[in-house]
Coordinates of all heavy atoms in Angstrom, one line a residue:
M79 N -29.6 1.5 -24.9 CA -29.3 2.5 -23.9 C -30.2 3.7 -24.1 O -30.8 4.3 -23.2 CB -27.9 2.9 -24.0 CG -27.5 3.8 -22.9 SD -25.6 3.8 -22.7 CE -25.2 5.0 -23.9
F80 N -30.5 4.1 -25.4 CA -31.3 5.3 -25.7 C -32.8 4.9 -25.3 O -33.5 5.8 -24.7 CB -31.3 5.6 -27.1 CG -32.2 6.7 -27.5 CD1 -31.9 8.0 -27.1 CD2 -33.3 6.6 -28.2 CE1 -32.7 9.1 -27.4 CE2 -34.1 7.6 -28.6 CZ -33.8 8.9 -28.2
D81 N -33.2 3.6 -25.6 CA -34.6 3.2 -25.3 C -34.8 3.3 -23.8 O -35.9 3.7 -23.3 CB -34.8 1.8 -25.8 CG -35.0 1.9 -27.4 OD1 -35.2 2.9 -28.0 OD2 -34.9 0.8 -28.0
S82 N -33.9 2.8 -23.0 CA -34.0 3.0 -21.6 C -34.1 4.4 -21.1 O -35.0 4.6 -20.1 CB -32.8 2.3 -20.9 OG -32.6 0.9 -21.3
A83 N -33.4 5.3 -21.6 CA -33.5 6.7 -21.2 C -34.8 7.3 -21.5 O -35.5 8.0 -20.8 CB -32.3 7.5 -21.8
V84 N -35.3 7.0 -22.8 CA -36.5 7.5 -23.3 C -37.7 6.9 -22.4 O -38.6 7.7 -22.0 CB -36.8 7.3 -24.7 CG1 -38.2 7.6 -25.2 CG2 -35.8 8.1 -25.6
E85 N -37.7 5.6 -22.2 CA -38.8 5.0 -21.4 C -38.8 5.5 -20.0 O -39.8 5.7 -19.5 CB -38.6 3.5 -21.5 CG -39.6 2.7 -20.7 CD -41.0 2.9 -20.9 OE1 -41.4 3.4 -22.1 OE2 -41.9 2.7 -20.1
G86 N -37.6 5.7 -19.5 CA -37.5 6.2 -18.1 C -38.2 7.6 -17.9 O -38.9 7.9 -17.0
A87 N -37.8 8.4 -18.9 CA -38.3 9.8 -18.9 C -39.9 9.8 -19.1 O -40.6 10.5 -18.4 CB -37.7 10.7 -20.0
R88 N -40.4 9.0 -20.0 CA -41.8 8.8 -20.3 C -42.5 8.4 -19.1 O -43.5 8.9 -18.7 CB -42.0 7.8 -21.5 CG -43.4 7.7 -21.8 CD -43.9 6.5 -22.6 NE -43.8 5.4 -21.8 CZ -44.6 5.0 -20.8 NH1 -45.6 5.7 -20.5 NH2 -44.3 3.8 -20.1
F89 N -42.0 7.3 -18.4 CA -42.6 6.7 -17.2 C -42.6 7.7 -16.1 O -43.6 7.9 -15.4 CB -41.8 5.5 -16.7 CG -42.4 4.7 -15.6 CD1 -43.5 4.0 -15.8 CD2 -41.9 4.9 -14.3 CE1 -44.1 3.3 -14.8 CE2 -42.5 4.3 -13.2 CZ -43.6 3.5 -13.4
G90 N -41.5 8.5 -15.9 CA -41.5 9.6 -14.8 C -42.4 10.7 -15.1 O -42.7 11.4 -14.2
S91 N -42.8 10.9 -16.3 CA -43.6 12.0 -16.6 C -45.1 11.8 -16.5 O -45.9 12.6 -16.5 CB -43.4 12.5 -18.1 OG -44.0 11.5 -19.0
L92 N -45.5 10.5 -16.2 CA -46.9 10.2 -15.9 C -47.3 10.9 -14.7 O -46.6 11.2 -13.7 CB -47.0 8.7 -15.7 CG -46.7 7.8 -16.9 CD1 -46.7 6.4 -16.6 CD2 -47.6 8.2 -18.1
A93 N -48.7 11.1 -14.7 CA -49.3 11.9 -13.5 C -49.1 11.3 -12.2 O -49.0 12.1 -11.2 CB -50.7 12.2 -13.8
D94 N -49.0 10.1 -12.1 CA -48.8 9.4 -10.8 C -47.4 9.0 -10.5 O -47.2 8.3 -9.5 CB -49.8 8.2 -10.7 CG -49.5 7.1 -11.8 OD1 -48.8 7.5 -12.7 OD2 -49.9 6.0 -11.5
Q95 N -46.5 9.5 -11.3 CA -45.1 9.1 -11.1 C -44.3 10.4 -10.9 O -44.8 11.5 -10.8 CB -44.5 8.4 -12.2 CG -45.2 7.1 -12.5 CD -45.1 6.1 -11.3 OE1 -44.1 6.0 -10.7 NE2 -46.2 5.3 -11.1
N96 N -42.9 10.4 -10.7 CA -42.1 11.5 -10.7 C -40.7 11.2 -11.2 O -40.5 10.0 -11.8 CB -41.9 11.9 -9.1 CG -41.4 10.7 -8.3 OD1 -40.5 9.9 -8.7 ND2 -41.9 10.7 -7.1
G97 N -39.9 12.1 -11.3 CA -38.5 11.9 -11.8 C -37.7 10.7 -11.3 O -37.0 10.0 -11.9
R98 N -37.9 10.5 -10.0 CA -37.1 9.4 -9.3 C -37.6 8.1 -9.8 O -36.8 7.2 -10.1 CB -37.3 9.6 -7.8 CG -36.6 8.5 -7.0 CD -35.1 8.7 -7.0 NE -34.6 7.5 -6.2 CZ -33.5 6.8 -6.6 NH1 -32.8 7.2 -7.7 NH2 -33.0 5.8 -5.9
A99 N -38.9 8.1 -9.9 CA -39.5 6.7 -10.5 C -39.0 6.5 -11.9 O -38.7 5.4 -12.3 CB -41.0 6.7 -10.4
G100 N -38.9 7.6 -12.7 CA -38.4 7.4 -14.1 C -37.0 7.0 -14.1 O -36.5 6.1 -15.0
C101 N -36.2 7.5 -13.2 CA -34.8 7.0 -13.2 C -34.6 5.5 -12.8 O -33.9 4.8 -13.3 CB -34.0 7.9 -12.1 SG -32.3 8.0 -12.3
L102 N -35.4 5.2 -11.8 CA -35.4 3.7 -11.4 C -35.9 2.8 -12.5 O -35.3 1.8 -12.7 CB -36.4 3.5 -10.1 CG -35.8 4.2 -8.9 CD1 -36.9 4.0 -7.7 CD2 -34.6 3.6 -8.5
R103 N -36.9 3.3 -13.3 CA -37.3 2.5 -14.4 C -36.2 2.4 -15.5 O -36.0 1.3 -16.1 CB -38.6 3.1 -15.1 CG -39.0 2.5 -16.3 CD -39.8 1.2 -16.0 NE -40.5 0.9 -17.2 CZ -40.7 -0.4 -17.5 NH1 -40.4 -1.4 -16.6 NH2 -41.2 -0.8 -18.6
A104 N -35.4 3.5 -15.8 CA -34.5 3.5 -16.7 C -33.3 2.5 -16.2 O -32.8 1.8 -17.1 CB -33.8 4.9 -16.9
Q105 N -32.9 2.5 -14.9 CA -32.0 1.7 -14.4 C -32.4 0.2 -14.7 O -31.6 -0.6 -15.0 CB -31.7 1.9 -12.9 CG -31.0 3.3 -12.7 CD -30.9 3.6 -11.2 OE1 -31.5 2.9 -10.4 NE2 -30.1 4.5 -10.9
E106 N -33.6 0.0 -14.3 CA -34.1 -1.4 -14.4 C -34.0 -1.9 -15.9 O -33.5 -3.1 -16.1 CB -35.6 -1.5 -13.9 CG -36.2 -2.8 -14.1 CD -37.8 -2.7 -13.8 OE1 -38.1 -1.9 -13.0 OE2 -38.4 -3.6 -14.2
L107 N -34.5 -1.1 -16.8 CA -34.4 -1.5 -18.3 C -33.0 -1.7 -18.7 O -32.7 -2.6 -19.5 CB -35.1 -0.5 -19.1 CG -36.7 -0.4 -18.9 CD1 -37.3 0.7 -19.5 CD2 -37.3 -1.8 -19.3
F108 N -32.1 -0.7 -18.3 CA -30.7 -0.8 -18.8 C -30.0 -2.0 -18.2 O -29.4 -2.7 -19.0 CB -30.0 0.4 -18.3 CG -28.5 0.5 -18.7 CD1 -28.2 1.1 -19.9 CD2 -27.5 0.0 -18.0 CE1 -26.9 1.2 -20.3 CE2 -26.2 0.0 -18.3 CZ -25.9 0.6 -19.6
N109 N -30.2 -2.4 -17.0 CA -29.6 -3.5 -16.3 C -30.1 -4.9 -17.0 O -29.4 -5.8 -17.1 CB -29.8 -3.5 -14.9 CG -29.0 -2.4 -14.2 OD1 -27.9 -2.0 -14.7 ND2 -29.4 -2.0 -13.0
K110 N -31.4 -4.8 -17.4 CA -31.9 -6.1 -18.1 C -31.4 -6.2 -19.3 O -31.1 -7.4 -19.8 CB -33.5 -6.0 -18.1 CG -34.2 -6.3 -16.8 CD -35.6 -6.3 -17.1 CE -36.4 -6.6 -15.8 NZ -37.8 -6.5 -15.9
S111 N -31.1 -5.1 -20.1 CA -30.7 -5.3 -21.6 C -29.1 -5.3 -21.6 O -28.6 -6.1 -22.3 CB -31.2 -4.2 -22.4 OG -30.8 -2.9 -21.9
L112 N -28.5 -4.4 -20.9 CA -27.0 -4.4 -21.0 C -26.2 -4.8 -19.9 O -24.9 -5.0 -20.0 CB -26.6 -2.9 -21.5 CG -27.2 -2.4 -22.8 CD1 -26.8 -1.0 -23.0 CD2 -26.5 -3.3 -24.0
G113 N -26.9 -4.8 -18.8 CA -26.2 -5.3 -17.5 C -25.5 -4.2 -16.7 O -25.1 -3.1 -17.3
S114 N -25.3 -4.4 -15.5 CA -24.7 -3.3 -14.6 C -23.2 -3.3 -14.7 O -22.5 -2.5 -14.1 CB -25.1 -3.5 -13.2 OG -24.8 -4.8 -12.7
A115 N -22.6 -4.2 -15.3 CA -21.1 -4.4 -15.5 C -20.5 -3.2 -16.2 O -19.4 -2.9 -16.1 CB -20.7 -5.8 -16.1
L116 N -21.3 -2.5 -17.0 CA -20.9 -1.4 -17.8 C -20.7 -0.1 -16.9 O -20.2 0.9 -17.4 CB -21.9 -1.0 -18.9 CG -22.0 -2.2 -20.0 CD1 -23.0 -1.8 -21.0 CD2 -20.7 -2.6 -20.6
E117 N -21.0 -0.2 -15.6 CA -21.0 0.9 -14.7 C -21.6 2.2 -15.2 O -20.9 3.2 -15.4 CB -19.5 1.1 -14.4 CG -18.8 -0.1 -13.6 CD -17.4 0.2 -13.3 OE1 -17.0 1.3 -13.5 OE2 -16.8 -0.8 -12.9
P118 N -22.9 2.1 -15.5 CA -23.7 3.2 -16.0 C -23.8 4.4 -15.0 O -23.9 4.1 -13.8 CB -25.0 2.7 -16.5 CG -25.3 1.6 -15.6 CD -23.8 0.9 -15.3
I119 N -23.9 5.6 -15.5 CA -24.1 6.8 -14.6 C -25.5 7.3 -15.0 O -25.7 7.6 -16.2 CB -23.0 7.9 -14.8 CG1 -21.7 7.3 -14.4 CG2 -23.4 9.1 -14.1 CD1 -20.5 8.2 -14.8
F120 N -26.4 7.3 -14.1 CA -27.7 7.8 -14.4 C -28.0 9.2 -13.8 O -27.5 9.4 -12.6 CB -28.8 6.9 -13.7 CG -28.8 5.5 -14.4 CD1 -28.0 4.5 -13.9 CD2 -29.7 5.2 -15.5 CE1 -28.0 3.3 -14.4 CE2 -29.7 4.0 -16.0 CZ -28.9 3.0 -15.6
E121 N -28.5 10.2 -14.5 CA -28.8 11.5 -14.1 C -30.4 11.7 -14.4 O -30.7 11.5 -15.5 CB -28.0 12.6 -14.7 CG -26.5 12.4 -14.3 CD -25.7 13.4 -14.9 OE1 -26.2 14.4 -15.6 OE2 -24.4 13.4 -14.9
C122 N -31.1 12.1 -13.4 CA -32.5 12.4 -13.6 C -32.8 13.7 -13.0 O -32.4 14.0 -11.8 CB -33.4 11.3 -13.0 SG -32.9 9.7 -13.6
E123 N -33.6 14.5 -13.7 CA -33.9 15.8 -13.1 C -35.3 16.3 -13.7 O -35.6 15.8 -14.8 CB -32.9 16.8 -13.4 CG -32.6 17.3 -14.8 CD -31.6 18.3 -14.9 OE1 -30.4 18.0 -14.9 OE2 -32.1 19.4 -15.0
Q124 N -35.9 17.1 -13.0 CA -37.2 17.7 -13.5 C -36.8 19.1 -13.7 O -36.2 19.9 -12.9 CB -38.3 17.7 -12.5 CG -39.6 18.2 -13.0 CD -40.8 17.7 -12.1 OE1 -40.6 17.0 -11.1 NE2 -41.9 18.1 -12.5
T125 N -37.1 19.6 -14.9 CA -36.7 21.0 -15.3 C -37.8 21.5 -16.1 O -38.8 21.0 -16.3 CB -35.3 20.9 -16.2 OG1 -34.9 22.3 -16.4 CG2 -35.5 20.2 -17.6
R126 N -37.6 22.9 -16.5 CA -38.6 23.5 -17.3 C -38.1 23.9 -18.6 O -36.9 24.3 -18.7 CB -39.1 24.8 -16.6 CG -39.9 24.4 -15.3 CD -40.6 25.5 -14.7 NE -41.9 25.7 -15.4 CZ -43.1 25.0 -15.3 NH1 -43.0 23.9 -14.6 NH2 -44.1 25.4 -15.9
I127 N -38.8 23.7 -19.7 CA -38.5 24.2 -21.0 C -39.6 25.1 -21.3 O -40.7 24.7 -21.7 CB -38.3 23.0 -22.0 CG1 -37.1 22.2 -21.6 CG2 -38.0 23.7 -23.4 CD1 -36.8 21.0 -22.4
G128 N -39.4 26.4 -21.4 CA -40.5 27.3 -21.6 C -41.4 27.2 -20.4 O -41.1 27.3 -19.3
A129 N -42.8 27.0 -20.8 CA -43.7 26.9 -19.7 C -44.0 25.5 -19.3 O -44.9 25.2 -18.4 CB -45.1 27.5 -20.2
R130 N -43.4 24.5 -19.9 CA -43.6 23.1 -19.7 C -42.6 22.6 -18.7 O -41.4 22.8 -18.7 CB -43.4 22.3 -21.0 CG -44.3 22.8 -22.1 CD -45.6 22.1 -22.0 NE -46.5 22.5 -23.1 CZ -47.8 22.3 -23.0 NH1 -48.3 21.8 -22.0 NH2 -48.4 22.6 -24.1
S131 N -43.1 21.7 -17.8 CA -42.4 20.9 -16.9 C -41.8 19.6 -17.6 O -42.7 18.9 -18.2 CB -43.2 20.5 -15.6 OG -42.4 19.7 -14.8
V132 N -40.5 19.4 -17.7 CA -40.0 18.2 -18.4 C -39.2 17.3 -17.4 O -38.4 17.8 -16.7 CB -39.1 18.7 -19.6 CG1 -38.4 17.7 -20.2 CG2 -39.9 19.6 -20.5
I133 N -39.3 16.0 -17.7 CA -38.5 15.0 -17.0 C -37.4 14.7 -18.0 O -37.6 14.3 -19.1 CB -39.2 13.7 -16.6 CG1 -40.5 14.1 -15.7 CG2 -38.4 12.7 -15.9 CD1 -40.1 14.6 -14.3
M134 N -36.1 14.8 -17.4 CA -34.9 14.3 -18.3 C -34.3 13.2 -17.6 O -33.9 13.2 -16.4 CB -34.0 15.6 -18.4 CG -32.8 15.2 -19.3 SD -31.4 16.3 -19.0 CE -30.8 15.6 -17.5
V135 N -33.9 12.1 -18.4 CA -33.2 11.0 -17.9 C -31.9 10.9 -18.8 O -32.1 10.8 -20.0 CB -34.0 9.7 -17.9 CG1 -33.2 8.6 -17.5 CG2 -35.2 9.9 -17.0
S136 N -30.8 10.8 -18.2 CA -29.5 10.7 -18.9 C -28.8 9.5 -18.5 O -28.7 9.3 -17.3 CB -28.7 11.9 -18.6 OG -27.3 11.7 -19.1
I137 N -28.3 8.7 -19.4 CA -27.5 7.5 -19.1 C -26.2 7.7 -19.8 O -26.2 7.9 -21.0 CB -28.2 6.3 -19.6 CG1 -29.6 6.1 -18.9 CG2 -27.4 5.0 -19.2 CD1 -30.4 5.0 -19.5
E138 N -25.1 7.4 -19.1 CA -23.7 7.4 -19.7 C -23.1 6.2 -19.3 O -23.1 5.7 -18.1 CB -23.0 8.7 -19.2 CG -21.7 8.8 -19.9 CD -20.9 10.1 -19.5 OE1 -21.5 11.0 -19.0 OE2 -19.7 10.1 -19.8
A139 N -22.5 5.5 -20.2 CA -21.7 4.2 -19.9 C -20.6 4.0 -20.9 O -20.6 4.5 -22.1 CB -22.6 3.1 -20.1
A140 N -19.6 3.4 -20.4 CA -18.4 3.0 -21.3 C -18.6 1.7 -21.8 O -18.9 0.6 -21.2 CB -17.1 2.9 -20.4
I141 N -18.7 1.5 -23.2 CA -18.9 0.3 -23.9 C -17.6 -0.2 -24.4 O -16.9 0.5 -25.0 CB -19.8 0.6 -25.1 CG1 -21.1 1.4 -24.8 CG2 -20.1 -0.7 -25.8 CD1 -22.0 0.6 -23.9
P142 N -17.1 -1.4 -23.8 CA -15.8 -1.9 -24.1 C -15.6 -2.4 -25.6 O -16.6 -3.1 -26.1 CB -15.6 -3.0 -23.1 CG -17.0 -3.5 -22.8 CD -17.9 -2.2 -23.0
G143 N -14.5 -2.1 -26.2 CA -14.1 -2.7 -27.4 C -15.1 -3.0 -28.5 O -15.5 -4.1 -28.6
L144 N -15.4 -2.0 -29.3 CA -16.3 -2.3 -30.4 C -15.6 -2.4 -31.7 O -16.1 -2.0 -32.7 CB -17.4 -1.2 -30.4 CG -18.4 -1.1 -29.3 CD1 -19.3 0.0 -29.5 CD2 -19.2 -2.5 -29.2
G145 N -14.5 -2.9 -31.8 CA -13.6 -3.1 -32.9 C -13.0 -1.8 -33.4 O -11.9 -1.5 -33.2
F146 N -13.7 -1.0 -34.1 CA -13.3 0.2 -34.8 C -13.2 1.4 -33.8 O -12.6 2.4 -34.1 CB -14.1 0.6 -35.9 CG -15.5 1.0 -35.6 CD1 -15.9 2.3 -35.3 CD2 -16.5 -0.1 -35.6 CE1 -17.3 2.6 -35.0 CE2 -17.9 0.2 -35.3 CZ -18.2 1.5 -35.0
L147 N -13.8 1.3 -32.6 CA -13.8 2.3 -31.5 C -12.7 2.0 -30.6 O -12.4 0.7 -30.3 CB -15.1 2.5 -30.9 CG -16.2 2.9 -31.8 CD1 -17.6 2.9 -31.1 CD2 -15.9 4.4 -32.2
P148 N -12.1 2.9 -29.9 CA -11.2 2.7 -28.8 C -11.8 2.0 -27.6 O -13.0 2.1 -27.5 CB -10.6 4.0 -28.5 CG -11.5 5.0 -28.9 CD -12.3 4.4 -30.2
N149 N -11.1 1.3 -26.9 CA -11.6 0.6 -25.7 C -12.3 1.7 -24.7 O -11.9 2.8 -24.6 CB -10.6 -0.1 -24.9 CG -10.2 -1.4 -25.6 OD1 -10.8 -1.8 -26.4 ND2 -8.9 -1.9 -25.4
N150 N -13.4 1.2 -24.1 CA -14.1 2.0 -23.1 C -14.5 3.4 -23.7 O -14.4 4.4 -23.1 CB -13.3 2.2 -21.9 CG -13.2 0.9 -21.2 OD1 -14.0 0.0 -21.3 ND2 -12.0 0.8 -20.4
Y151 N -15.1 3.4 -24.9 CA -15.6 4.6 -25.5 C -16.9 5.0 -24.7 O -17.7 4.1 -24.5 CB -15.9 4.5 -27.0 CG -16.4 5.7 -27.6 CD1 -15.4 6.7 -28.1 CD2 -17.7 5.9 -27.9 CE1 -15.8 7.8 -28.6 CE2 -18.1 7.0 -28.5 CZ -17.1 8.0 -28.8 OH -17.6 9.2 -29.5
R152 N -17.1 6.1 -24.3 CA -18.3 6.6 -23.5 C -19.4 7.0 -24.4 O -19.2 7.8 -25.2 CB -17.9 7.7 -22.5 CG -16.8 7.1 -21.5 CD -16.8 7.6 -20.1 NE -18.1 7.6 -19.4 CZ -18.4 6.5 -18.5 NH1 -17.5 5.6 -18.5 NH2 -19.5 6.6 -18.0
F153 N -20.5 6.4 -24.2 CA -21.8 6.7 -24.9 C -22.7 7.5 -23.9 O -22.7 7.1 -22.7 CB -22.5 5.5 -25.5 CG -21.7 5.0 -26.7 CD1 -20.8 3.9 -26.6 CD2 -22.0 5.5 -27.8 CE1 -20.3 3.4 -27.6 CE2 -21.4 4.9 -29.1 CZ -20.5 3.9 -28.9
K154 N -23.5 8.4 -24.4 CA -24.4 9.0 -23.6 C -25.8 9.1 -24.3 O -25.8 9.4 -25.4 CB -24.0 10.5 -23.2 CG -24.9 11.2 -22.3 CD -24.3 12.5 -21.7 CE -25.2 13.1 -20.7 NZ -24.6 14.3 -20.1
A155 N -26.9 8.8 -23.6 CA -28.3 8.8 -24.1 C -29.0 9.7 -23.2 O -29.0 9.6 -22.0 CB -28.8 7.5 -24.3
V156 N -29.9 10.6 -23.8 CA -30.7 11.4 -23.0 C -32.2 11.3 -23.5 O -32.4 11.4 -24.8 CB -30.3 12.9 -23.1 CG1 -31.2 13.8 -22.3 CG2 -28.9 13.1 -22.6
G157 N -33.1 11.1 -22.6 CA -34.5 11.1 -22.9 C -35.3 12.2 -22.2 O -34.9 12.5 -21.1
H158 N -36.2 12.8 -22.9 CA -37.1 13.9 -22.3 C -38.5 13.6 -22.5 O -38.9 13.1 -23.6 CB -36.8 15.3 -23.1 CG -35.4 15.8 -22.9 ND1 -34.3 15.5 -23.8 CD2 -34.8 16.6 -22.1 CE1 -33.2 16.1 -23.4 NE2 -33.6 16.9 -22.4
A159 N -39.3 14.0 -21.6 CA -40.8 13.8 -21.7 C -41.4 14.9 -20.9 O -41.0 15.3 -19.8 CB -41.2 12.5 -21.2
T160 N -42.5 15.5 -21.5 CA -43.3 16.6 -20.8 C -44.1 15.9 -19.8 O -44.9 14.9 -20.0 CB -44.2 17.3 -21.8 OG1 -43.4 17.7 -22.9 CG2 -45.0 18.4 -21.3
S161 N -44.1 16.5 -18.6 CA -44.9 16.0 -17.4 C -46.4 16.2 -17.8 O -46.7 17.2 -18.3 CB -44.5 16.7 -16.2 OG -43.2 16.5 -15.7
E162 N -47.1 15.2 -17.3 CA -48.6 15.3 -17.4 C -49.1 16.3 -16.6 O -50.1 17.0 -17.0 CB -49.3 14.0 -17.2 CG -49.0 12.9 -18.3 CD -49.8 11.6 -18.0 OE1 -50.3 11.5 -16.9 OE2 -49.7 10.8 -18.9
I163 N -48.6 16.6 -15.4 CA -49.1 17.6 -14.5 C -48.1 18.8 -14.6 O -46.9 18.7 -14.5 CB -49.0 17.0 -13.0 CG1 -49.9 15.8 -12.9 CG2 -49.3 18.1 -12.0 CD1 -49.8 15.3 -11.4
Q164 N -48.7 19.9 -15.0 CA -47.9 21.1 -15.1 C -48.1 21.9 -13.9 O -48.2 22.9 -13.5 CB -48.5 22.0 -16.4 CG -48.2 21.2 -17.6 CD -46.8 20.8 -18.0 OE1 -45.9 21.7 -17.8 NE2 -46.5 19.6 -18.3

């Protein structure tokens, strides 16, 4: 899940892409690896940290029954990447 968020942010930060493209990339990777049955929530935005433009991709999903964790424990992963175009 974390890898999908990071790769989505990295992809969206490329000069010829945008935050929406990064979000779609994160969704594609997440669905290939964990499936859409987990009902993930994707949030993508372009923001500024200081003087830098940053793409942020956030994924939140409920992972069912991992033994020691209660059912449907919610995990959240966030990826950030500095935009190539400032």
Side-chain angles (χ1 to χ4, degrees):
M79 189 161 84
F80 180 71
D81 288 343
S82 297
V84 169
E85 173 60 20
R88 187 203 62 76
F89 185 79
S91 71
L92 296 174
D94 62 342
Q95 300 297 327
N96 57 35
R98 178 74 181 136
C101 203
L102 292 174
R103 176 78 173 150
Q105 289 174 345
E106 176 186 338
L107 292 171
F108 183 90
N109 290 336
K110 281 184 180 178
S111 62
L112 296 173
S114 59
L116 298 177
E117 299 177 7
I119 299 169
F120 294 89
E121 294 178 10
C122 304
E123 66 179 87
Q124 187 166 356
T125 187
R126 296 195 75 74
I127 297 178
R130 302 278 183 193
S131 178
V132 175
I133 301 293
M134 183 201 73
V135 175
S136 171
I137 305 171
E138 186 174 345
I141 309 295
L144 293 175
F146 62 93
L147 295 174
N149 287 341
N150 293 331
Y151 186 78
R152 299 213 53 93
F153 286 94
K154 185 172 186 176
V156 180
H158 296 88
T160 303
S161 296
E162 287 184 354
I163 298 175
Q164 296 296 318

